[in-house]
Amino acid sequence: MTRAAVQLKADGPIEFIEVDVRPPGPGEVRVRMAAAGLCHTDVQALYGGVTSMTMPPPAVAGHEGAGVVTEVGPGVCGPSVGDHVILSATGHDGTCEFCTNGHPSLCLRSLQLADPRTGNGPALSVDGTPVTPFGPLGTFTEETIVPAECAITIDQAMPLDLACLIGCAVSTGVGAVRNRVTVRPGDHVAVLGCGGVGLNIVQAARRAGAGSVIAVDVSEEKLAAATAFGATHVIDARHVQVPDAVRAVTGPFGAHFTFESTGLTDCMAQAVSATRPGGTAVLLGMAPGSSALALDNIADIILQEKVITGSLMGSGYSARDFPVLVREYLEGTLKLDELITRRRPLAEINEAIADLKSGTGLRTVFTF
């Protein structure tokens, strides 16, 4: 038995209850969770915001976590018992068409792992009923069973309550700058949405040498945080037309790169409009599955050769990227402590979700 934050009924509250956890099967490891971060995508998955991610109840969300390996299943070569690990929502087989062509975040193995009907099945159950995990993880539980390739071994000097953030917010934001595009010294960068992901875009762009890093949000708290993370300019989107305000900083052409991390289609359209000719708008925020992106003038996209691209989980390779991010934190070049607004026990998950929905704070981390 273990305890987990389970949604028992669709659209219902989360209950912190005892659940059964099976032993690890072939290719799996058991992880005793130490910390898990709450991401907006978790709420969308629980309450139906993104159709492709909706989890039928009973369900356990969570895809941003870190812990210690306590047991390994048959056929696992690594990690080992006692290893400290960050959990990754994407696995990589290294052999599929996407892995071999430089797009490991699109690995076909990841699609398989994300479907709980494949592999060894859900790890948790309530009174004999399988619990649906978020993708291959479901980190809002004291113990979980995950595919071995989703448990990335890290330096044990790394605090696990900070390490968990690397599993999503940090790797997604930093990776979008490093892996999806190439920000050159002097480039203008605009970041629309300065939550956990957006702040990591800000600090990665600044470290890449961007000439200006323009943070855009409707929260004074988040804009202040963006300044601390390296933003050179801030824009309160409540009071201005965002594309015009961006061009007031960059000059008449706009930003070389815009990054949108809110998942709001209006913000996505603003990001495209604020991008200069030949520039790139990178969309990271998860919009509801039925959303459509309306652009004012399609001809501008063609005539100005703008690029609109997506970035999934930082477009990276977690086995490579997570240890690098850990090392950067330990060396003092990557901000993580400042991302956490509050630490809570997992039993307070409903209160944490209420804070997230209200826009309060940056990141809540559950500690076990």
Side-chain angles (χ1 to χ4, degrees), residues 1 11-13 61 133 179 209 281 304 316 327-328 353:
M1 301 290 290
D11 297 324
N179 302 322
Q304 298 180 17
R327 185 176 68 247
E328 290 177 350
I353 288 174

Side-chain angles (χ1 to χ4, degrees), residues 193-196 199 215 217 219-227 356 359-362:
C194 295
L199 291 175
D217 208 291
S219 164
E220 293 180 1
E221 177 186 21
K222 291 177 181 177
L223 291 175
T227 299
L356 188 150
T360 301
L362 303 176

Side-chain angles (χ1 to χ4, degrees), residues 272-317:
V272 174
S273 179
T275 303
R276 69 170 48 206
T280 301
V282 184
L283 309 183
L284 296 90
M286 284 292 183
S290 59
S291 299
L293 178 58
L295 301 174
D296 290 336
N297 192 339
I298 297 298
D300 283 348
I301 306 299
I302 299 168
L303 296 175
Q304 298 180 17
E305 295 189 354
K306 293 185 180 182
V307 176
I308 304 172
T309 186
S311 179
L312 173 63
M313 301 298 292
S315 305
Y317 178 39

